[in-house]
Amino acid sequence: MSSAESFVPTPLLLSDSAQKRINALMAEENNSTLKLRVYVTGGGCSGFQYGFDFADSVADDDTIIEFGDAALVVDPLSYQYLVGSTVDYEEGLAGARFRVQNPNATTTCGCGASFMV
């Protein structure tokens, strides 16, 4: 006889480097309510593209996902495309940026800023 395992799926993850960057921006702005808004819009070379913004207010239908002092905010339309994704922050020769590692994307562009599901 087998037993079923249960788990709580994580809607989105935030990497350590992204958490550190959000916390640094909160300190720079002297604003402890600052949150990283992640959203999806139409466009880009693969059909959809990711967007990032900082907000200290949220709409009633937004989802807030907290990671210690850092938090992500996602609108209901974008949420469905981002479930299971990891938001990361990277610095390199091409500059610094937040990026999404999305397991739901079937195709992504070379820069990783747009995707198709």
Side-chain angles (χ1 to χ4, degrees):
M1 196 163 162
S2 66
S3 64
E5 292 183 36
S6 64
F7 69 99
V8 176
T10 304
L12 272 98
L13 297 174
L14 189 63
S15 72
D16 289 342
S17 61
Q19 289 179 46
K20 288 177 187 173
R21 184 62 183 150
I22 293 169
N23 289 333
L25 289 168
M26 289 188 321
E28 286 175 24
E29 296 293 321
N30 196 26
N31 184 350
S32 62
T33 64
L34 198 64
K35 296 167 185 54
L36 178 63
R37 179 176 292 281
V38 183
Y39 58 92
V40 173
T41 60
C45 48
S46 293
F48 294 103
Q49 60 188 0
Y50 302 110
F52 301 94
D53 194 9
F54 284 97
D56 51 8
S57 63
V58 296
D60 290 339
D61 59 351
D62 283 338
T63 298
I64 302 171
I65 305 164
E66 296 179 339
F67 301 88
D69 292 334
L72 293 175
V73 177
V74 184
D75 65 86
L77 180 63
S78 299
Y79 186 89
Q80 63 186 327
Y81 296 108
L82 295 169
V83 169
S85 297
T86 299
V87 176
D88 192 16
Y89 180 77
E90 61 183 22
E91 294 179 4
L93 295 174
R97 67 180 179 148
F98 286 99
R99 60 174 263 180
V100 176
Q101 297 167 347
N102 189 341
N104 305 309
T106 57
T107 305
T108 60
C109 69
C111 68
S114 69
F115 68 102
M116 182 183 301
V117 290

